[in-house]
Amino acid sequence: SDAERKNIEDRIRKTRNDIRANMASDKTSRARAYELLARDYRELGLLGKSVNAYSSADAINPSDTDLVLDYAEVTQLMTDFTRAEALYRRAIDREPARIESYQKLADMYFYDLKDSETARGIYVEGLIKSNSDLSLMKLFANFLELAGNRSEAMLYWQAVLEKDQQNKVVEEHIKDL
């Protein structure tokens, strides 16, 4: 709505003024200000400005994995897949057991780049690095179904059920395959 847009624009003005006035003088506050600015720009559909603000935040605080993932998403939305992959890879390198990074990178390959083999490899890499995380295993089984590999998906669903024997939803899903 117009009121929501005005509210976001007001937040952007305030944040930019805070940055200019150097009110956010410590590193963490300055990085957070740029991150808020990036999110507001994204919400308004100003992806180029959002990327610039994320880049500034990332330069100040490159160890924030959440920020790197948000930055990667915006570059992906702008179809800068090379930079998005590099950012997702940074997140994976920083926190190898964090499944969200693998999921987002694999989804980019599967949905945006139409490369199911690379997406599959990313899920396998994640399963290895996360010690077969149950949530990632479920995501991989879903992916295999979407990619048309029902027999392999069935194997992973059965492995999920072995780890989570009380999961009636997975049990029913296996019966439906």
Side-chain angles (χ1 to χ4, degrees):
S1 75
D2 288 340
E4 289 172 354
R5 183 174 182 86
K6 176 151 178 23
N7 186 28
I8 294 168
E9 288 170 348
D10 289 344
R11 280 196 322 247
I12 288 171
R13 271 190 289 286
K14 182 187 179 321
T15 304
R16 289 178 64 181
N17 287 336
D18 288 351
I19 292 169
R20 280 192 199 109
N22 212 12
M23 289 176 74
S25 58
D26 68 283
K27 237 172 113 170
T28 305
S29 298
R30 215 169 39 253
R32 180 74 178 134
Y34 277 114
E35 185 178 4
L36 293 172
L37 196 60
R39 287 181 182 168
D40 285 341
Y41 280 138
R42 179 182 178 170
E43 197 170 329
L44 290 176
L46 302 171
L47 299 181
K49 288 185 175 198
S50 180
V51 164
N52 290 340
Y54 274 124
S55 179
S56 295
D58 185 48
I60 295 166
N61 188 10
S63 63
D64 184 340
T65 304
D66 291 326
L67 179 126
V68 172
L69 287 172
D70 289 345
Y71 185 11
E73 284 181 29
V74 174
T75 59
Q76 181 181 345
L77 288 170
M78 292 186 66
T79 67
D80 185 349
F81 301 121
T82 301
R83 188 186 324 180
E85 178 176 18
L87 291 164
Y88 286 130
R89 286 285 172 199
R90 269 184 49 210
I92 288 169
D93 290 345
R94 187 168 299 123
E95 293 183 45
R98 186 169 177 169
I99 65 165
E100 177 186 14
S101 304
Y102 299 101
Q103 178 189 11
K104 290 181 179 208
L105 180 57
D107 283 352
M108 181 181 82
Y109 270 95
F110 186 66
Y111 293 108
D112 295 331
L113 300 173
K114 310 299 184 211
D115 183 348
S116 61
E117 283 306 306
T118 300
R120 184 187 191 292
I122 292 163
Y123 276 116
V124 170
E125 173 190 349
L127 287 169
I128 292 166
K129 289 182 178 177
S130 71
N131 197 26
S132 296
D133 178 90
L134 185 62
S135 295
L136 190 58
M137 199 179 289
K138 290 175 188 176
L139 291 168
F140 186 46
N142 274 323
F143 160 78
L144 290 168
E145 283 185 57
L146 288 171
N149 193 339
R150 292 172 62 100
S151 60
E152 190 176 7
M154 174 68 84
L155 294 174
Y156 277 91
W157 282 122
Q158 289 170 341
V160 166
L161 193 57
E162 283 177 28
K163 284 185 157 199
D164 185 9
Q165 295 177 359
Q166 303 304 314
N167 193 325
K168 299 297 180 194
V169 173
V170 171
E171 193 175 319
E172 289 299 315
H173 188 73
I174 290 171
K175 287 178 187 173
D176 292 340
L177 284 176

